[in-house]
Amino acid sequence: MKLRRWMTAGAVAVATVAALNTVPAAANRPYDPTAQSLAALGLRHGLQVGTAVDMAALNDTSDPQYRRLTTSEFSSVTAENAMKWESLEPTRGAYDWAAADQLVEFAKRNRQSVRGHVLVWHNQLPAWLTSGVADGSISRQELRELLRRHITTVVSRYKGKIWQWDVVNEAVSDPWDTPSTLHYKGFWAQNLGPGYIADAFRWARAADPKALLFYNDYNIEAFGSGNPADDKPQFVHDMVKGLLAQGVPIDGVGSQGHLGTQYGNYDTLQVTAALKKFAALGVATAFTEVDVRSEMTEAVQAGNSAEINPRLQASAANFSVLMKACLAVRSCLSYTVWGFSDKHSWVPGWFNDPPQGMATIYDESYQPKRAYHELKSDLIFAGPPYVLPRIAPKPRR
Ligand code: XIL
């Protein structure tokens, strides 16, 4: 008790987390943190380390490594596609829950938390919905009601089983869009106006009082000019501030973290500053879809190490920058990679002009790359006074 009194709250939390997670070293064998999983090392900081899960790969019995590593290395899972609207309701009125249910059960069996992804997004919508809106057979009013029902149905089904929900995804335009002044973009804003965002959070909250409700987007890892007309993180910041002022139950901002080694990269303190700025609004933060892709030149594809090595190094450095920033900000609750092996990454299929790849922390044969080792090192070498355990917000009413 006496001890407790002079310890700061943070130190008490560190002591508690350490007591819970220290693996007793065998008498003759020193404790070796490098042999621990990312999940175990993350827990020392109260940080969940997650991955997106490809259900086909998880169920592929000829690819057992995928399931083994999904289970052993990660404390959190996200459905890469299985909870998107087109997957859940391919035919109007007929929900197919099989894959999403399977992931939620898998997570429970493995004591993993689930990031629900995604309730409202302009991509991967069922064709019946988008064509119905396009041909006028679904009115605006009906569309809003369909969205309300969808959110209510999905969130209710998994009530109490989802830790964080990505309620709204990628609602904001990019500087390369037309008009270039940042604005609310895409199917939902076009058809319902930006008010759908507040509605979505309220409907999600009504269906699950305990899930943390997130806004999720890309290219918000570091602030730029600070002008919301051209600085996407600033636009998102101001949007969240506005929603909170209206009493909208938003609990977090998810920064996807899709980076590329060919771009100007961020440094740790820039990213830390961005997380702090979001956290100052009183919301949690998270990295939700981290991968760091590279251009696959002919030399890279031919195995030329002079081109491969700098990519592996830059990729590892970028993974590490986001991890260190996350560790440094106590509101950063989780760090999720968007697939963990180059064998199952969305990047080659999505970015092909020029071809890109090498975006994950394990190669195609499930060998850990230097990015994996850097993440591990970051988790091992971090600790007080700068890195303290996470502080999770209470879900907002
Ligand atoms: C991607 C999946 O990884 C692909 O399998 C799918 O074909 C397209 O969507 N931002 C998001 C994710 O929020 O849902 C996207 O996932 C990647 C970009």
Side-chain angles (χ1 to χ4, degrees), residues 80-81 84 117 121 124 169-170 256 289 338 346 350:
E80 184 172 359
N81 290 299
K84 290 172 182 171
H117 177 83
W121 190 29
Q124 293 179 279
N169 196 32
E170 303 180 356
Q256 293 183 358
E289 307 184 10
W338 204 245
W346 73 305
W350 205 263

Side-chain angles (χ1 to χ4, degrees), residues 338-354:
W338 204 245
F340 57 88
S341 160
D342 289 341
K343 187 171 181 187
H344 299 285
S345 165
W346 73 305
V347 167
W350 205 263
F351 302 92
N352 39 32
D353 187 22

Side-chain angles (χ1 to χ4, degrees), residues 7 17 25 42 58 79 93 153 177 180 195 251 270:
M7 283 171 97
V17 170
L58 192 70
T153 304
D177 287 328
S180 64
D251 303 308
Q270 264 180 305

Side-chain angles (χ1 to χ4, degrees), residues 95-130:
Y95 275 83
D96 176 356
W97 299 107
D101 281 2
Q102 196 206 339
L103 183 67
V104 171
E105 279 151 29
F106 173 87
K108 190 176 176 198
R109 241 187 353 269
N110 296 304
R111 295 194 186 81
Q112 292 162 314
S113 55
V114 183
R115 292 198 82 261
H117 177 83
V118 50
L119 297 172
V120 194
W121 190 29
H122 55 270
N123 279 340
Q124 293 179 279
L125 290 168
W128 60 262
L129 183 77
T130 49

Side-chain angles (χ1 to χ4, degrees), residues 16 19 25 92 123-124 200 239 287 295 311 323 328:
T16 313
R92 186 169 179 172
N123 279 340
Q124 293 179 279
M239 173 193 82
F287 286 110
E295 286 188 19
R311 285 168 170 76
M323 177 58 90

